[in-house]
Amino acid sequence: MPPIEKVLEENCLLKGELAAVKAENAWLKHQMFGAGKSETLDRLQTSLALAEVPVAAPQQKTELVSYQRVAGVKDPRVLPAEAFKDLPVAETIEVVPEEVKKDPSLFEQIGEERTFEVDIVPPRLVKREIVRLKYRHVLDRSRAPLIAPAPVRPVQGGYASAGLLAWIALSKYVDHLPLYRLERMSQRWGATISRQTMNDWIRLTAHWFEPIYRQMLKRLLSGSYLQVDETPVRCNDPDEKRGGTTEGWLWVISRPGEDVVFDWRLSRRHGELTSLLHGYKGVLQADAYGAYPSFAKEHPEVSWVGCWAHARRKFFEAQAESPKAVAMILRLIGRLYQRERQWDQAKLSAEQRKELRREYHTRPLYWLRKIVCKLRERVLPKSLFGKACDYLLRYWDALSAHLHYGETRLDNNLIENAIRPSAIGKKNWLFIGHPQAGQRSAILYSIVVSCQRRGIDPLAYMRDVLTRLPSMTNQDDLDPLTPAYWQPLS
């Protein structure tokens, strides 16, 4: 190659790399300093007038212009009277004027004005005494004394009630409080409870709920549609040097309207997914992590569908590079979501949705792919826009596979929302204390997140189930105790 051509080619490559670096810098700046990520400039500073000689503005003609605009959204704030209307009234205080107190006979009541204030009753430990009366036979004193057997409790021989076990578990897995904080807080409850004792209770609570957890997993795997995702969690491993931590994974499976099941694994290897979904047949929705398409490829009875939220997010992050082109692509994707929202409101069946998807999604998807193919030829491969185009085209078969099904969602946002409590929790308690404790967290997260998804009070559910379970046997049906079928005892 002639020297001049070689120099030109090197310059082109350098320009391409420079453009990619500039795009990455712009993205990082937006992540760190973009709107909502830092304090905005005080608007008052922009309104300060400079000390300049005022110049008289020229006289201009004025005219009246009228127009119509869409009414603004109503103030979403709820009035206190509405927000606290269901609170019980613990105390009523009547305030009588001093004049009336001095001589009540001179006045008659003609009405009243009511207001309220909200108080709080902090947690308080109380004892529930269990008295078993002992009897002896009046006519036959040789008989052994009679005494009723001790009630079956979740901590046999211990002092923790079902309600206390549920409270400690929810404090950690819903309120995200580490046990050392709960130990300090317990001093204000009336008596100190050590974190080691609480840790034992967490282990025991997970043990009681494990059969229900297995039932929930079995129910999900027997269906024909699953959403799957995974999230990393640091784990304190005693085998690591100097008490270091290793990385474990919480794998999560669910489907819209059903329970959420977490499962703890020490790795993210493809084989973990194979053992988790053993025997499953149906549609598997997940992101583009290699374990998911590989699992579908190895199991012909499983079909993998993609997540449109991941594809859309990559184009959204590339807006600064090609604003007009990205806006066009986002509009096309937005049309898909607009139709889906309409069908959600209409509460269509899966078969009806599948027919409508083929009718209304086929053409937008055709144009979307055609436009992205054309744009891909004009952008740098290492740019954010180029990577977004590559992602969409590489996984097009999985993304467009939604046309063949009516039960799927366009994205995996529901399962990602289910993972959020564990993401908040690990920012507070930082890591799981032992590899064997990971599955306990998975079981309890499955219980509380499933209750929250179904609008069930986790405390009422766990207290009730922990009261019932100790008196049940292996032959009893556990379905009525799962969040899907649970009903409180009247």
Side-chain angles (χ1 to χ4, degrees), residues 165 171 311 348 382:
L165 294 179
S171 296
L348 301 180
K382 293 185 179 181

Side-chain angles (χ1 to χ4, degrees), residues 43-205:
R43 294 183 180 179
L44 293 177
Q45 297 183 33
T46 63
S47 63
L48 295 176
L50 297 176
E52 296 180 351
V53 178
V55 179
Q59 295 292 331
Q60 295 180 349
K61 294 181 179 180
T62 61
E63 59 181 358
L64 180 62
V65 178
S66 63
Y67 65 95
Q68 292 180 342
R69 66 180 182 182
V70 179
V73 180
K74 293 182 179 180
D75 191 345
R77 290 177 295 182
V78 181
L79 295 176
E82 180 65 22
F84 302 109
K85 63 182 178 63
D86 296 327
L87 290 182
V89 178
E91 183 182 9
T92 301
I93 302 174
E94 291 186 350
V95 182
V96 180
E98 291 298 328
E99 293 83 347
V100 177
K101 288 181 179 179
K102 291 178 181 179
D103 194 348
S105 63
L106 296 178
F107 300 90
E108 64 176 353
Q109 184 177 346
I110 59 173
E112 64 181 20
E113 291 187 8
R114 286 181 175 262
T115 185
F116 69 90
E117 64 180 10
V118 177
D119 203 351
I120 186 170
V121 179
R124 183 169 57 94
L125 294 172
V126 296
K127 291 192 297 185
R128 182 185 298 114
E129 288 192 341
I130 302 172
V131 180
R132 295 186 293 149
L133 303 180
K134 188 182 294 187
Y135 296 88
R136 69 178 180 182
H137 201 281
V138 176
L139 300 179
D140 188 358
R141 298 298 179 91
S142 63
R143 295 186 183 183
L146 289 178
I147 187 170
V152 182
R153 295 182 291 153
V155 186
Q156 201 65 24
Y159 60 83
S161 67
L164 183 55
L165 294 179
W167 179 268
I168 297 299
L170 293 180
S171 296
K172 179 174 181 179
Y173 293 103
V174 174
D175 300 326
H176 318 296
L177 294 173
L179 294 183
Y180 79 89
R181 289 188 198 168
L182 288 171
E183 180 181 17
R184 294 178 183 176
M185 293 168 62
S186 68
Q187 298 173 8
R188 302 197 301 270
W189 302 346
T192 301
I193 304 175
S194 71
R195 72 188 76 175
Q196 182 58 50
T197 298
M198 295 184 191
N199 186 64
D200 292 340
W201 291 348
I202 292 287
R203 175 182 54 79
L204 193 60
T205 303

Side-chain angles (χ1 to χ4, degrees), residues 405-468:
Y405 308 101
E407 66 272 26
T408 63
R409 298 278 179 163
L410 290 186
D411 55 46
N412 237 16
N413 284 350
L414 284 176
I415 199 76
E416 291 184 3
N417 291 339
I419 289 177
R420 188 167 292 123
S422 65
I424 298 173
K426 64 188 178 185
K427 290 181 180 179
N428 286 270
W429 36 257
L430 301 180
F431 54 83
I432 291 175
H434 192 278
Q436 296 178 0
Q439 188 60 16
R440 302 173 202 161
S441 297
I443 292 172
L444 294 176
Y445 269 130
S446 302
I447 296 298
V448 300
V449 173
S450 297
C451 286
Q452 291 172 333
R453 172 174 281 195
R454 296 181 178 277
I456 299 173
D457 177 11
L459 179 61
Y461 169 81
M462 294 184 72
R463 186 202 303 268
D464 179 69
V465 173
L466 285 171
T467 302
R468 296 196 216 178

Side-chain angles (χ1 to χ4, degrees), residues 2-20:
I4 185 65
E5 295 182 4
K6 186 174 182 180
V7 170
L8 289 174
E9 182 180 354
E10 291 177 353
N11 286 341
C12 291
L13 292 173
L14 289 173
K15 288 181 179 179
E17 293 178 358
L18 181 61

Side-chain angles (χ1 to χ4, degrees), residues 1 3 9 66 77 81 90 164 188-189 193 220 274 328 334 338 346 360-361 363 366 420 434 458 471:
M1 181 182 294
E9 182 180 354
S66 63
R77 290 177 295 182
L164 183 55
R188 302 197 301 270
W189 302 346
I193 304 175
L220 284 175
T274 303
M328 177 172 54
Q338 185 179 12
Y360 290 101
H361 283 354
R363 188 167 183 81
Y366 167 79
R420 188 167 292 123
H434 192 278
S471 59

